[in-house]
């Protein structure tokens, strides 16, 4: 009899739960909602979890506790039995929802909003808790928002003992509870740095974790610019994010710090940045899709290595490498009928390329780890480096012209005997190839280098080495192929004439670097550098005279002193020019009526429905200048931009600009060029090819038309 009563009670509980514990969902055209429990029943004196389940129609969304730039958070008003108390919503991590120049935080698809309920110890076993909540959802699409007030009910049985999870929602609710951001023992500071707000967080769950991605979701809608990118760095004990503040003052900053290792609630007090929050790898971008971190463009290490190898191969065809490429061809001809020497020079050339890439990559990664916002080609943002390279190119050109001759150990800079007897010259030719390749970004390079800068340093160095291998591989393969070498002509008087011809692109390279220096530094500094160039040229001419006198057995003391003095004067004047460099005040101009780029300019243009073409460029970027001359300066592109009522913005990276660097990083790039076309109706930009054609730009603009441009008559009537 007792067993029968027990079975009857159990059956009653099961049937009771099945009929009462899960009410029918409430549906509208845009949303379906219901109040569902995590556990099958509530025990007296326990805490239970129920959740407001939302199933949101495609193309619509609801909002997080901070809706962002627009919208409104979901609110819950409870009607509960006596003694039952409801806690706050355990808000799941939201997704970012971009609409034109606005960014909101919310949810789409299916989402659970868990809430804890405290059940009094006086709750009677066998009774039912009648729970009711008035839920107000603001359900929005890209075109409209509709308030949806819904009344949700749930009859939850009261039973003794631990309750199992309900089906089908119990496990999903439990997962939402476990994943919800919570307070943690994390120290955080908010540090003002001009127009930036540096958020540093260390300790607790962050300590010792290899954080790769992070994003800060503020609780206060007016604290930061939600649409601005958030760049950052990992550190041994935490992370650092660079935010764009929206308000003045040093009020505490509260919100959710989301990372690929978890999400936590933090409050950052005003103060200096915390140690241990930076110095590591650059953080990867955070996904806008499902609240899950991305892998920085989906490029795995092996893919990045492959792209870097292809990019290095294509780099041989880029214009900035042409002068050295010609020097390599002449060197191959000189060694064509000496296979042993050809192999030696080929290996030495590749070694010079790889070592120089390794040094540049190590310096780049070290500076970025120290907080510098730099990318590929960073050395050419320094007027001092540009001045030094211009003198180097001038020296190489004079050497090829026969003004003076390098010593045997440096012959392969392209002069003299073309590495006739020593591999050191071939090594230096490889180093020179890397130096002059910096202004060019070949196809495949951008994705590879962008991925490398957010990888751990061993993988990043491997990507740079793969790029160097691609640059030196054609030369190496030819030098190791006796059949190909035999087809090259034998050395002869033609090589001296070839040397003089090859001097012309080196003179052009020196002149181009002088132009870059003038754009970076202004006319007074350019005059000093020109004087220094003349002094260096005079010193090298005296060096050539000195070599001739020595060959004739004549005294050379006076010529030697004069040569050293002239060279020292030239280098000194170049140093003074670089130290006095001041960027000239130039306003963007050109056939497309360019305006300076800024995130605010993009948001304002998109806010008015106009498409935006952004050109990330630099005067030292040869690829950029070719694209501007071949595609962006044509009448057809100008007419297409005007027909689309578009805006053309130029982000000039000629000199270091941290805002441009952060934007490049946010797009997964490490250098220029980069071309973005923002649609007139809002949304994420389209990335145009690195090598532009007039037709590709015109076609892209036709697909991104904004509202018609007002006619003069319409403007006059306003």
């Amino acid at each position: 009899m007792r067993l029968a009563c027990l079975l009857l009670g159990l059956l009653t509980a099961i049937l009771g739960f099945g009929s009462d514990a899960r009410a029918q969902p409430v549906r509208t055209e845009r949303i379906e909602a219901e109040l569902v429990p995590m556990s099958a029943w509530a025990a007296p004196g326990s805490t239970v979890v129920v959740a407001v389940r939302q199933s949101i129609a495609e193309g619509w969304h609801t909002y997080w506790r901070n809706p962002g730039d627009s919208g409104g958070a979901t609110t819950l008003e409870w009607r509960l039995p006596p003694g039952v108390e409801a806690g706050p919503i355990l808000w799941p991590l939201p997704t970012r929802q971009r609409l034109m120049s606005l960014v909101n935080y919310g949810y789409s698809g299916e989402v659970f909003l868990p809430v804890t309920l405290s059940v009094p110890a006086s709750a009677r076993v066998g009774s039912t808790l009648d729970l009711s909540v008035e839920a107000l959802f603001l359900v929005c699409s890209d075109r409209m928002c509709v308030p949806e007030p819904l009344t949700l009910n749930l009859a939850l049985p009261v039973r003794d003992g631990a309750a199992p999870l309900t089906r089908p929602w119990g496990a999903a609710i439990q997962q939402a509870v476990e994943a919800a951001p919570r307070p943690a023992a994390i120290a955080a500071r908010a540090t003002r740095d001009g127009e930036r707000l540096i958020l540093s967080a260390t300790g607790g769950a962050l300590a010792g974790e290899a954080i790769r991605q992070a994003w800060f979701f503020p609780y206060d809608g007016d604290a930061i610019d939600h649409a601005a990118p958030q760049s950052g760095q990992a550190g041994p004990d935490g992370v650092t994010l660079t935010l764009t503040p929206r308000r003045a003052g040093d009020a505490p900053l509260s919100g959710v710090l989301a990372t690929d290792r978890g999400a936590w609630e933090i409050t950052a007090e005003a103060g200096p940045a915390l140690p241990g929050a930076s110095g590591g790898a650059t953080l990867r971008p955070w996904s806008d899709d499902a609240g899950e971190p991305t892998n920085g463009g989906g490029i795995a290490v092996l893919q990045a290595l492959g792209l870097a190898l292809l990019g290095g191969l294509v780099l041989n065809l880029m214009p900035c490498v042409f002068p050295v490429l010609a020097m390599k061809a002449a060197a191959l001809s000189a060694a064509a009928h000496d296979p042993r020497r050809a192999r030696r020079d080929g290996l030495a050339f590749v070694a010079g390329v790889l070592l120089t890439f390794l040094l540049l990559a190590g310096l780049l990664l070290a500076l970025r780890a120290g907080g510098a916002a730099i990318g590929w080609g960073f050395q050419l943002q320094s007027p001092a480096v540009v001045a030094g390279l211009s003198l180097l190119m001038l020296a190489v050109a004079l050497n090829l012209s026969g003004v003076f001759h390098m010593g045997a150990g440096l012959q392969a800079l392209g002069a003299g005997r073309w590495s006739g007897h020593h591999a050191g010259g071939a090594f230096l030719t490889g180093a020179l190839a890397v130096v002059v390749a910096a202004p060019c970004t070949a196809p495949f390079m951008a994705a590879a280098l962008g991925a490398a800068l957010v990888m751990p340093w061993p993988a990043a160095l491997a990507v740079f080495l793969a790029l160097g291998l691609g640059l030196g591989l054609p030369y190496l393969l030819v030098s190791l192929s006796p059949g190909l070498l035999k087809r090259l002509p034998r050395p002869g008087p033609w090589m001296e004439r070839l040397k003089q011809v090859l001097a012309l692109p080196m003179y052009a390279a020196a002149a181009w670097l002088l132009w870059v220096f003038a754009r970076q530094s202004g006319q007074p500094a350019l005059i000093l550098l020109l004087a220094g160039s003349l002094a260096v040229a005079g010193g090298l001419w005296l060096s050539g005279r000195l070599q001739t006198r020595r060959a004739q057995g004549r005294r050379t003391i006076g010529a030697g002193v004069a040569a050293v003095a002239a060279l020292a004067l030239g280098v000194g004047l170049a140093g003074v020019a670089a130290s006095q460099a001041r960027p000239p005040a130039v306003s963007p101009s050109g056939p497309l009526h360019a305006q300076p780029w800024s995130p605010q300019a993009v948001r304002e243009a998109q806010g008015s429905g106009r498409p935006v073409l952004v050109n990330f460029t630099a005067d030292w970027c040869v690829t950029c200048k070719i694209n501007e001359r071949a595609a962006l300066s044509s009448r057809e592109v100008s007419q297409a931009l005007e027909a689309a009522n578009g805006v053309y913005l130029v982000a000039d990276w000629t000199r270091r600009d941290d805002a441009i660097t952060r934007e490049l990083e946010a797009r997964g790039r490490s250098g220029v060029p980069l071309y973005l076309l923002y649609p007139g109706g809002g949304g994420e930009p389209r990335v145009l090819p690195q090598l532009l054609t007039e037709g590709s730009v015109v076609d892209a603009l036709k697909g991104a038309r904004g509202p018609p441009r007002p006619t003069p008559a319409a403007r006059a009537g306003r």
Side-chain angles (χ1 to χ4, degrees):
M1 182 67 180
R2 184 176 297 176
L3 179 61
C5 290
L6 181 61
L7 292 174
L8 180 61
L10 180 60
L11 180 61
T12 301
I14 295 174
L15 293 177
F17 171 71
S19 60
D20 296 333
R22 185 164 65 92
Q24 293 297 318
V26 181
R27 298 182 178 89
T28 70
E29 182 181 349
R30 290 158 289 275
I31 189 172
E32 173 186 293
E34 59 182 322
L35 189 60
V36 292
M38 186 175 78
S39 304
W41 60 76
S46 66
T47 298
V48 296
V49 177
V50 297
V52 175
R53 172 184 167 269
Q54 306 171 59
S55 180
I56 307 165
E58 184 176 356
W60 297 81
H61 57 266
T62 59
Y63 292 94
W64 187 52
R65 58 180 293 176
N66 168 19
D69 289 323
S70 63
T74 298
T75 61
L76 303 178
E77 293 187 9
W78 293 92
R79 293 196 298 270
L80 302 172
V84 178
E85 296 182 356
I89 298 174
L90 297 177
W91 293 93
L93 196 65
T95 62
R96 297 172 298 177
Q97 300 156 347
R98 188 175 295 273
L99 176 62
M100 298 181 68
S101 62
L102 306 178
V103 167
N104 299 324
Y105 304 130
Y107 310 102
S108 57
E110 184 178 71
V111 63
F112 294 87
L113 300 183
V115 175
T116 58
L117 299 178
S118 299
V119 180
S122 59
R124 185 170 55 86
V125 174
S127 65
T128 300
L129 299 177
D130 293 318
L131 311 176
S132 180
V133 64
E134 295 288 339
L136 177 59
F137 307 98
L138 185 61
V139 189
C140 296
S141 68
D142 291 345
R143 297 185 177 182
M144 63 183 300
C145 287
V146 180
E148 299 278 17
L150 303 178
T151 301
L152 310 177
N153 300 299
L154 173 67
L156 185 63
V158 179
R159 302 285 183 265
D160 276 327
L165 297 176
T166 59
R167 292 182 180 179
W169 312 122
I173 298 173
Q174 184 180 47
Q175 183 178 3
V177 171
E178 293 173 350
R182 285 185 172 82
I186 296 176
R189 294 290 184 272
T191 308
R192 284 275 180 171
D193 181 15
E195 297 183 356
R196 302 184 302 167
L197 184 64
I198 309 300
L199 175 66
S200 55
T202 60
L206 297 175
E209 293 288 346
I211 304 297
R212 303 291 177 82
Q213 297 145 320
W215 191 268
F216 180 70
F217 296 90
Y219 288 154
D220 188 343
D222 294 326
I224 66 172
D225 185 345
H226 306 298
Q230 296 184 13
S231 60
Q233 282 189 338
D237 298 320
V239 294
T240 295
L241 288 174
T242 300
L243 314 176
T244 302
R246 181 173 283 177
R247 66 187 179 196
D250 295 321
L253 186 64
S254 297
V256 172
L257 178 62
T259 76
D260 55 335
R261 302 298 185 184
W264 303 276
E265 295 180 334
I266 63 171
T267 296
E269 301 290 342
L274 295 171
S278 62
T282 301
L283 298 178
R284 299 175 182 174
W286 188 262
S287 171
D288 284 329
D289 298 329
E292 295 294 334
T294 67
N295 63 355
I299 301 177
V301 175
L302 290 179
Q303 291 174 307
L305 291 172
L307 290 174
L309 184 64
L310 288 174
L313 290 170
V314 178
L315 195 59
N316 281 281
L317 305 178
M318 303 305 287
C320 45
V321 190
F322 280 161
V324 179
L325 186 65
M327 291 163 59
K328 290 192 298 181
L332 275 176
S333 297
H337 301 279
D338 187 349
R340 181 179 178 183
R341 173 184 157 196
R343 288 193 300 269
R344 181 199 64 195
D345 286 357
L347 293 173
F349 174 81
V350 172
V353 169
L354 294 180
L355 182 59
T356 308
F357 259 113
L358 191 64
L359 293 174
L360 271 179
L363 180 60
L364 173 61
L365 295 174
L367 291 174
R368 289 176 63 88
I374 55 176
W376 174 249
F378 71 97
Q379 66 274 24
L380 292 175
Q381 293 176 329
S382 167
V385 173
V386 173
L389 286 177
S390 70
L391 296 182
L392 175 62
M393 295 301 162
L394 176 62
V396 172
L398 292 172
N399 183 259
L400 291 171
S401 299
V403 173
F404 74 105
H405 299 284
M406 305 292 288
L410 299 176
Q411 288 163 354
L413 278 171
R417 305 173 190 172
W418 299 94
S419 299
H421 304 289
H422 296 273
F427 180 90
L428 291 175
T429 307
L432 181 64
V434 176
V435 171
V436 301
C440 282
T441 301
F444 311 111
M445 275 182 61
L449 295 184
L453 294 183
V454 297
M455 290 178 178
W457 67 266
L461 292 179
V463 171
F464 277 93
L465 288 176
L467 180 63
L469 181 61
L471 179 62
L473 193 58
Y475 184 92
L476 179 63
L477 292 178
V478 173
S479 67
L480 297 178
S481 304
L484 293 176
L485 289 173
K486 289 180 180 179
R487 298 185 180 184
L488 296 176
R490 291 183 176 275
W494 65 271
M495 291 189 62
E496 291 299 321
R497 293 191 294 270
L498 178 62
K499 283 171 46 183
Q500 296 172 2
V501 171
L502 292 180
L504 297 178
M506 304 310 292
Y507 284 121
W512 167 71
L513 287 166
L514 286 172
W515 175 79
V516 172
F517 183 84
R519 298 279 293 178
Q520 289 177 328
S521 309
Q523 185 175 0
L526 174 62
I527 293 174
L528 287 173
L529 181 57
L530 285 172
S533 300
L534 289 175
V536 167
L540 294 177
W541 177 79
L542 288 173
S543 297
R545 298 286 296 171
L546 176 65
Q547 292 170 338
T548 302
R549 284 173 174 269
R550 283 180 177 173
Q552 296 173 350
R554 300 167 62 184
R555 294 173 61 92
T556 59
I557 297 178
V561 171
V564 171
L567 291 173
L569 176 62
V571 173
L573 287 172
V576 173
S579 66
Q580 296 185 357
R582 297 292 184 271
V586 293
S587 58
S589 60
L592 294 186
H593 307 291
Q595 303 174 33
W597 170 88
S598 71
Q600 181 66 24
V602 174
R603 289 194 293 271
E604 289 177 355
Q606 280 200 297
S608 60
R610 303 179 67 183
V612 185
L613 176 61
V614 184
N615 174 14
F616 290 83
T617 183
D619 286 332
W620 44 259
C621 172
V622 177
T623 310
C624 304
K625 295 306 168 186
I626 291 176
N627 285 334
E628 290 166 13
R629 180 63 60 89
L632 298 180
S633 297
S634 72
R635 179 181 303 175
E636 288 74 12
V637 170
S638 180
Q639 292 173 346
L641 185 69
E642 184 175 1
N645 193 17
V647 178
Y648 178 54
L649 303 179
V650 173
D652 190 349
W653 209 41
T654 301
R655 299 196 71 170
R656 177 175 168 178
D657 188 308
D658 290 353
I660 295 176
T661 305
R662 289 194 297 271
E663 184 68 17
L664 290 171
E665 291 174 351
R667 303 296 170 187
R669 299 298 177 91
S670 67
V672 290
L674 173 64
Y675 305 100
L676 301 179
L677 180 59
Y678 292 82
E684 285 295 301
R686 172 184 173 185
V687 180
L688 301 185
Q690 281 185 285
L691 298 179
L692 296 179
T693 63
E694 178 184 288
S696 66
V697 179
V698 170
D699 291 342
L701 288 170
K702 288 180 179 178
R705 292 180 183 271
R709 186 184 300 273
T711 63
R715 288 195 294 267
R718 288 181 180 174

